[in-house]
């Protein structure tokens, strides 16, 4: 007997317009993410465009437009941008301090920008606070964004980009509480002020992102940044946090308890957002909200070692968890301005996997492609009535079986609903209704597999892939049975 679930969408009070950056990506020279994942100039056997793997470009084009964060991660705080421009043969080779091996700088600023242009993405550069200087990051911004003519913009032109690169998002460091320098909130606030002051003068239009951490760290950071220096309030646009789910055991050989542990842990994101929302309200100017950026998130399983570039296989479990997170971001799109999974290729929660000449899409890719149908719509509140899940040991509870997000175009003629059944083994008989509106017709796409640990690989690249599925429209709403551990995307016509 399926569990009963009812989703009611409130169409009259939009949460916010959904920005494309809400569903973004992140790349770092870590494992096979940048080198081999994207940059394959030294592999003539792999189809490529200007040194970049065609498969990755095509796949990311399907997910765009969105932002792509680079060059880290922890690597950002060791990257000196001058080492990644100019003649590739002259670029220095350095130890990759965080992820092992060597950094050749073959993929530097211009290669990154070419990559963003090819996939239609907005660049999001994370600057070096941990080992760089204020002047170095200020010059990087001038090099990228200024019209010129200055010595730096002339250098950019000589390196192939006459027009400004228009980098809109700038992160001032990464995890500066840890790999970015082990700074206290007060130490980081002092650094942030110096960096942001100069960056604002070079290009006042860029969106500056401070590297946050826990709610308490963020409180101390904002206290130091804003309360103690009222005039530095204008230096901050957004605060970034990261959230990994690490309690789910092995990537593929996981138990029912592990499955529910991952699902339950992913709900911590909701708590992060609620805390940030409450905190930011105390510090922001009501006419200019502080945005929350969640620029690293996802599952991090026990067998994803540094020596193997944090590679893990992403299964239907990861897809269910990711879809729930993307629903959460959509539901908080008045506060969450940008998110990027960690990371786009091979690393942790990735959308593309590669192994030499082979490349394939993961179940997470399909979730992203489904959810991006929300972009440009108004996010709408969903009221969900469904059972809570019990954990594998029968004890956890408190995790709603269904997660959902909904949106509609501004005229309310068409809507999109993403619904996730988190139950590991039971289907859900799910109805969806739009309050005060009537569903005229509906189509659905379903990502579902026989077992939660099924994944794609080089031998079976399309094993987990969404397919169109039937959905009943009656009484102005829709109804469908959601299989266990599945993700459904409904597109509806409304009157
Ligand atoms: O995403 C992998 C790593 O995890 C990033 O480099 C770092 O910022 C985080 O701790």
């Amino acid at each position: 007997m399926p569990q009963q679930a009812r989703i009611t969408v409130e169409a009259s009070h939009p949460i916010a317009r959904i920005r494309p950056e809400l569903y973004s990506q992140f790349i770092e020279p870590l494992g096979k993410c940048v080198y081999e994942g994207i940059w394959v100039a030294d592999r003539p056997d792999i189809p490529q465009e200007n040194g970049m793997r065609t498969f990755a470009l095509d796949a990311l084009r399907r997910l765009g437009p969105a932002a792509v964060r680079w060059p880290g991660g922890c690597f950002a705080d060791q990257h000196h941008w001058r080492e990644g421009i100019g003649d590739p043969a002259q670029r220095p080779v350095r130890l990759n301090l965080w992820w092992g091996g060597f950094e050749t700088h073959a993929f530097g600023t211009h290669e990154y920008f070419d990559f963003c242009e090819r996939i239609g993405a907005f660049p999001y550069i994370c600057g070096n606070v941990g080992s760089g200087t204020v002047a170095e990051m200020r010059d990087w911004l001038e090099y990228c964004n200024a019209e010129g003519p200055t010595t730096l913009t002339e250098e950019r032109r000589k390196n192939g980009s006459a027009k400004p690169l228009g980098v809109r998002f700038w992160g001032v460091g990464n995890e500066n509480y840890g790999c970015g320098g082990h700074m206290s909130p007060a130490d980081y606030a002092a650094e942030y002020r110096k960096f942001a002051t100069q960056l604002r003068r070079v290009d006042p239009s860029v969106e500056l992102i401070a590297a946050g951490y826990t709610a308490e760290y963020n409180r101390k950071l904002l206290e130091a940044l804003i309360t103690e220096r009222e005039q530095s309030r204008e230096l901050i646009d957004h605060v970034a946090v990261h959230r990994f789910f690490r309690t789910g055991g092995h990537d593929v050989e996981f138990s029912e308890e592990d499955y529910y542990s991952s699902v339950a842990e992913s709900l911590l994101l909701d708590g992060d957002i609620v805390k940030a929302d409450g905190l930011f309200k105390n510090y922001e100017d009501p006419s200019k909200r502080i945005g929350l950026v969640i620029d690293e998130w996802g599952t991090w399983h026990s067998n994803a070692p540094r020596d193997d570039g944090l590679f893990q296989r992403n299964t239907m479990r990861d897809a269910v968890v990711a879809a729930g997170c993307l629903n959460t971001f959509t539901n908080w799109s008045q506060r969450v301005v940008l998110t990027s999974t960690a990371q786009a290729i091979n690393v942790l929660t990735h959308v593309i996997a590669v192994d030499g000449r082979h490349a394939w899409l993961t179940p997470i890719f399909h979730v992203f492609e489904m959810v991006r149908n929300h972009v440009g719509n108004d996010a709408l509140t969903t009221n969900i009535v469904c059972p809570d899940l019990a954990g594998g040991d029968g004890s956890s509870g408190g995790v709603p079986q269904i997660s959902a997000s909904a949106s509609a175009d501004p005229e309310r003629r068409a809507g999109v609903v993403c619904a996730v059944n988190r139950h590991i083994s039971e289907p859900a008989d799910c109805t969806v209704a739009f309050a005060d509106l009537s569903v005229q017709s509906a189509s659905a796409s379903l990502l579902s597999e026989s077992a939660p640990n099924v994944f794609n690989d080089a031998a079976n690249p399309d094993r987990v892939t969404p397919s169109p599925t039937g959905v009943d429209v009656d009484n102005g709403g829709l109804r469908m049975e959601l299989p266990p551990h599945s993700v459904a995307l409904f597109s509806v016509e409304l009157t």
Side-chain angles (χ1 to χ4, degrees):
M1 182 70 177
Q3 310 288 323
Q4 301 296 310
R6 194 170 71 241
I7 302 170
T8 308
V9 182
E10 303 294 342
S12 51
H13 295 103
I15 300 168
R17 186 66 45 87
I18 300 171
R19 304 171 19 137
E21 308 87 79
L22 199 61
Y23 316 119
S24 291
Q25 301 295 327
F26 162 39
I27 58 170
E28 178 173 14
L30 192 182
K32 295 182 177 179
C33 185
V34 167
Y35 299 106
E36 193 172 320
I38 298 167
W39 193 251
V40 289
D42 56 346
R43 292 288 306 266
D45 56 324
I46 297 177
Q48 55 188 275
E49 288 174 32
N50 223 15
M52 289 174 266
R53 187 189 284 265
T54 308
F55 182 93
L57 296 175
D58 284 343
L60 293 168
R61 281 179 186 123
R62 282 170 60 182
L63 296 187
V68 177
R69 177 178 186 243
W70 172 84
C74 294
F75 180 78
D77 284 289
Q78 78 157 97
H79 178 71
H80 298 283
W81 67 275
R82 285 205 152 280
E83 300 187 341
I85 60 168
D87 179 1
Q90 302 301 317
R91 297 183 192 175
V93 177
R94 301 223 176 263
L95 294 174
N96 184 325
L97 298 181
W98 299 101
W99 307 115
F102 303 98
E103 169 57 29
T104 62
H105 297 96
F107 190 88
T109 296
H110 288 272
E111 290 78 16
Y112 163 67
F113 195 74
D114 184 24
F115 166 72
C116 289
E117 263 200 334
R118 281 170 195 275
I119 62 171
F122 313 113
Y124 164 11
I125 286 184
C126 184
N128 180 346
V129 171
S131 67
T133 65
V134 176
E136 181 184 4
M137 189 166 168
R138 179 200 63 205
D139 287 353
W140 198 5
L141 174 56
E142 181 181 327
Y143 181 87
C144 290
N145 282 18
E147 292 280 352
T150 69
T151 304
L152 282 167
T153 60
E154 190 53 22
E155 187 179 5
R156 181 187 75 214
R157 190 185 63 71
K158 286 197 191 114
N159 284 330
S161 298
K163 286 199 305 210
L165 307 181
V167 183
R168 183 167 128 217
F169 303 103
W170 288 80
V172 181
N174 166 74
E175 295 187 0
N176 298 90
Y177 61 86
C179 63
H182 293 284
M183 298 179 204
S184 69
D187 292 342
Y188 176 66
E191 291 300 311
Y192 181 89
R193 250 187 244 113
K194 289 187 275 181
F195 278 78
T197 301
Q198 298 274 320
L199 297 171
R200 271 280 189 265
R201 301 304 293 180
V202 177
D203 183 350
S205 75
V206 297
E207 297 181 37
L208 298 178
I209 302 168
Y213 183 29
T214 58
E216 183 53 12
Y217 185 100
N218 296 342
R219 189 189 65 72
K220 289 182 178 159
L221 175 61
L222 292 176
E223 195 63 24
L225 267 177
I226 294 176
T227 310
E228 292 167 19
R229 283 274 185 286
E230 176 60 29
Q231 63 280 42
S232 61
R233 185 196 295 263
E234 66 89 23
L235 297 178
I236 189 157
D237 295 308
H238 312 305
V239 175
V241 299
H242 296 169
R243 173 62 76 178
F244 291 105
F245 319 126
R246 304 184 72 143
T247 61
H250 193 272
D251 60 350
V252 172
E253 286 145 35
F254 54 85
S255 65
E256 185 169 324
E257 198 175 331
D258 293 333
Y259 172 95
Y260 282 120
S261 187
S262 287
V263 169
E265 200 182 359
S266 69
L267 265 61
L268 292 176
L269 258 180
D270 298 71
D272 293 337
I273 299 172
V274 169
K275 284 181 201 153
D277 185 59
L279 179 71
F280 295 178
K281 280 181 183 145
N282 293 334
Y283 292 95
E284 67 198 358
D285 175 340
S287 66
K288 186 180 167 289
R289 310 192 89 177
I290 299 173
L292 179 63
V293 165
I294 303 171
D295 49 13
E296 296 194 35
W297 64 270
T299 50
W300 189 325
H301 299 307
S302 59
N303 56 320
R306 177 181 180 268
D307 290 350
D308 197 16
L310 306 186
F311 177 73
Q312 64 189 20
R313 289 160 295 182
N314 288 157
T315 64
M316 265 312 295
R317 167 178 67 164
D318 300 287
V320 163
V321 169
C325 296
L326 293 171
N327 282 342
T328 297
F329 303 149
T330 309
N331 294 333
W332 276 97
S333 48
Q334 80 281 33
R335 178 61 76 186
V336 181
V337 294
L338 185 156
T339 81
S340 51
T341 178
Q343 298 186 7
I345 306 178
N346 272 47
V347 175
L348 304 175
T349 294
H350 51 284
V351 294
I352 299 164
V354 300
D355 185 15
R357 292 174 52 238
H358 302 285
W360 60 97
L361 304 175
T362 70
I364 311 274
F365 174 92
H366 298 300
V367 168
F368 268 86
E369 194 171 39
M370 290 162 105
V371 167
R372 74 176 296 276
N373 284 289
H374 283 313
V375 171
N377 282 353
D378 290 336
L380 302 174
T381 302
T382 52
N383 295 314
I384 305 174
V385 179
C386 69
D388 272 355
L389 296 170
D393 60 359
S395 66
S396 48
V399 176
Q401 178 176 346
I402 301 293
S403 148
S405 63
S407 70
D409 71 287
E411 287 78 38
R412 306 290 185 267
R413 283 195 292 254
V416 173
V417 177
C418 175
V420 185
N421 179 8
R422 293 166 161 147
H423 202 293
I424 193 169
S425 53
E426 293 293 333
D429 179 13
C430 184
T431 60
V432 181
F434 281 70
D436 305 324
L437 292 170
S438 179
V439 173
Q440 290 303 300
S441 65
S443 59
S445 171
L446 181 69
L447 193 67
S448 166
E449 264 301 330
S450 51
N453 65 348
V454 172
F455 56 92
N456 293 336
D457 59 15
N460 290 294
D462 297 318
R463 183 160 178 195
V464 186
T465 194
S467 30
T469 185
V471 53
D472 297 329
V473 177
D474 72 72
N475 270 338
L478 61 88
R479 173 178 220 127
M480 191 186 136
E481 183 169 294
L482 299 176
H485 54 266
S486 68
V487 181
L489 198 279
F490 304 110
S491 301
V492 301
E493 263 181 21
L494 297 165
T495 54

